[in-house]
């Protein structure tokens, strides 16, 4: 392989971002909304976070953003909701972009097989979380981002504002306070990892940034647009490169295997796309080289994933054939 080919292989070319097929995304979304109507309202809202306990479980919205930033939506696609763990994708991308992939020395890339807030594996794995999308792993990533930037939550907020094109995206102070008031398990995770030398910053500050990060409110359009850099092989909305192709590929891979808590195998089986869910009811999914998708419906299954959201993404890949498999 010549030098020019090696550079192309690592960084990709803008011409490779062309969408290969022209889909009627608006028509597909209307069909999906009709097909999943019986699942809307199923499941339970995330009542363990008091600020989320009063959300109407009957909400449903879905949006698709193509590579050029055109957005198609249906239902409550412009209704802001609490992004929660979806922000872990953006924190991971920023930590890798600014600090390189030595981050993987502090957090693994394997599915956990346990609930997202479990302490079980940390003890017999010497304080190294299984992956960056369980809470322990996300705390390690936020800790790294705090070291790199000095203000992890503000850095992340500015990033999603820029990528979504929505300067009004902001934190929800009520949700942040609710998470802080009920954050004993996250504090336990952080202290346990600190005992193994896997946390660098003061734990109270780390938890504060983590809770503010999870409180960011966005709608389906915002999230679909903000996640496009993963469909664009690491290129940001303005055409500059956030990540080399290999790191964008890595994030997509970890989303596929770890992005839906301990139900990642079922998500891969039904949907077949890299995805990341949050207990606010949102799920983002990436079709590399084509588009990004965000769906929101706050009724959750026992693993913390949106019941109607997974059904909608299942229909999306069935109707379009846009699966990685």
């Amino acid at each position: 392989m010549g030098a020019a080919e090696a550079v192309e292989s690592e960084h990709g070319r803008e011409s490779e971002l062309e969408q290969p097929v022209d889909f009627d995304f608006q028509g597909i979304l209307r069909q999906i909304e009709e097909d999943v109507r019986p699942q809307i309202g199923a499941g339970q809202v995330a009542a363990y976070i008091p600020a989320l306990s009063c959300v109407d479980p009957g909400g449903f919205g879905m949006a698709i953003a193509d590579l050029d930033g055109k957005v198609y939506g249906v239902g409550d696609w412009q209704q802001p909701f609490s992004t929660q763990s979806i922000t872990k994708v953006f924190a991971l991308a920023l930590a890798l972009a600014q600090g390189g992939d030595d981050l993987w020395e502090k957090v693994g890339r394997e599915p956990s097989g346990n609930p997202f807030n479990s302490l079980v594996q940390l003890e017999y794995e010497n304080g190294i979380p299984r992956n960056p999308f369980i809470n322990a792993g996300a705390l390690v990533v936020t800790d790294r981002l705090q070291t790199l930037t000095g203000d992890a939550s503000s850095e992340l907020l500015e990033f999603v504002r820029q990528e979504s094109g929505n300067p009004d995206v902001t934190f929800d102070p009520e949700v942040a306070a609710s998470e802080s008031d009920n954050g004993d398990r996250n504090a336990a995770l952080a202290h346990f990892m600190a005992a193994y030398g896997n946390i660098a910053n003061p734990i109270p500050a780390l938890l504060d940034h983590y809770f503010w990060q999870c409180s960011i409110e966005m709608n389906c359009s915002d999230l679909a647009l903000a996640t496009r850099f993963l469909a664009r092989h690491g290129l940001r909305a303005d055409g500059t490169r956030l990540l080399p192709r290999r790191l964008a590929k890595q994030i997509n891979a970890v989303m596929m295997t770890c992005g839906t808590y301990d139900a990642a195998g079922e998500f891969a089986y039904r949907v077949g796309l890299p995805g990341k869910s949050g207990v606010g009811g949102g799920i983002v999914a990436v079709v590399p080289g084509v588009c990004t998708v965000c769906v929101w419906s706050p009724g959750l299954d026992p693993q913390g994933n949106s019941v109607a959201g997974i059904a909608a993404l299942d229909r999306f890949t069935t109707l379009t054939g846009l699966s990685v498999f």
Side-chain angles (χ1 to χ4, degrees), residues 129-142:
R130 198 52 92 80
N131 67 69
F133 296 146
I134 56 175
N135 286 15
L139 285 164
V140 168
V141 172
T142 300

Side-chain angles (χ1 to χ4, degrees), residues 46 48-49 52 82-88 110-118 130-136 138 210 214 254-268 275-283 300-306 310:
Y48 71 94
I49 301 173
L52 300 182
S82 187
T83 54
Q84 294 294 309
S85 287
I86 295 174
T87 59
K88 295 172 182 177
E110 297 293 337
S112 69
N114 286 305
F116 58 85
N117 59 356
S118 173
R130 198 52 92 80
N131 67 69
F133 296 146
I134 56 175
N135 286 15
Y210 179 70
C214 291
V254 178
M255 288 173 69
M256 172 67 82
T257 58
C258 309
T260 47
Y261 311 124
D262 51 333
E266 179 70 11
F267 187 82
K276 182 71 195 84
S277 61
V279 296
I283 309 175
L300 308 178
D301 63 22
Q303 287 74 39
N305 301 306
S306 171
I310 289 179

Side-chain angles (χ1 to χ4, degrees), residues 13-319:
R13 296 169 295 177
E14 278 72 1
S15 62
E16 292 175 353
L17 297 178
E18 296 174 2
Q19 293 156 201
V21 182
D22 186 20
F23 288 95
D24 175 17
F25 282 137
Q26 194 60 54
I28 289 165
L29 286 172
R30 285 193 291 266
Q31 181 65 55
I32 291 170
E33 184 182 32
E34 182 63 29
D35 291 347
V36 304
R37 197 172 301 279
Q39 281 82 32
I40 297 174
Q44 303 293 322
V45 299
Y48 71 94
I49 301 173
L52 300 182
S53 64
C54 58
V55 177
D56 178 8
F60 176 84
M62 190 169 183
I64 298 171
D66 68 19
L67 298 186
D68 296 324
K70 184 173 182 181
V71 182
Y72 309 81
V74 71
D76 303 313
W77 65 290
Q78 293 178 308
Q79 171 66 44
F81 60 89
S82 187
T83 54
Q84 294 294 309
S85 287
I86 295 174
T87 59
K88 295 172 182 177
V89 173
F90 307 121
L92 177 61
L94 289 173
L96 288 171
Q98 298 190 34
D101 50 7
D102 62 344
L103 172 67
W104 299 122
E105 297 173 6
K106 292 182 169 291
V107 61
R109 299 185 293 271
E110 297 293 337
S112 69
N114 286 305
F116 58 85
N117 59 356
S118 173
L119 291 98
V120 172
Q121 286 173 324
L122 280 177
E123 183 165 12
Y124 62 81
E125 294 184 351
N126 299 316
I128 303 295
R130 198 52 92 80
N131 67 69
F133 296 146
I134 56 175
N135 286 15
L139 285 164
V140 168
V141 172
T142 300
D143 181 63
R144 171 56 67 90
L145 190 59
Q146 178 66 10
T147 297
L148 291 167
T149 67
D151 192 346
S153 55
S154 295
E155 186 84 3
L156 193 149
L157 178 63
E158 183 59 27
F159 176 77
V160 296
R161 282 174 171 172
Q162 291 176 0
E163 293 306 292
S164 67
N166 183 0
D168 295 326
V169 170
T170 191
F171 302 115
D172 184 331
E174 181 184 358
V175 171
S178 185
E179 298 224 38
S180 179
D181 290 343
N182 296 272
D184 290 341
R185 184 175 287 265
N186 285 315
L189 291 167
H191 281 289
F192 195 89
M193 291 186 293
Y196 282 92
N198 204 24
I199 295 293
N201 291 281
I203 289 173
L206 167 61
L207 291 171
D208 190 50
H209 282 283
Y210 179 70
F211 295 141
W212 281 109
Q213 168 189 314
C214 291
S215 80
I216 291 175
E217 275 200 335
M218 300 172 75
N219 61 37
C220 291
S221 174
D222 295 330
L223 277 165
L225 287 168
T227 316
R228 276 190 311 147
F229 70 94
L230 291 173
R232 290 162 55 89
H233 309 299
L235 288 183
R236 297 187 62 165
D238 63 4
T240 62
R241 183 163 289 283
L242 175 70
L243 298 166
R245 287 178 66 100
R246 65 183 180 84
L247 291 184
K249 177 190 72 173
Q250 287 176 5
I251 294 175
N252 281 328
V254 178
M255 288 173 69
M256 172 67 82
T257 58
C258 309
T260 47
Y261 311 124
D262 51 333
E266 179 70 11
F267 187 82
Y269 173 78
R270 290 188 61 184
V271 176
L273 290 173
K276 182 71 195 84
S277 61
V279 296
I283 309 175
V284 293
V286 179
V287 186
V290 179
C291 65
T292 50
V293 187
C294 180
V295 61
W296 170 71
S297 190
L300 308 178
D301 63 22
Q303 287 74 39
N305 301 306
S306 171
V307 173
I310 289 179
L313 291 169
D314 184 354
R315 290 300 295 151
F316 172 78
T317 52
T318 298
L319 290 170

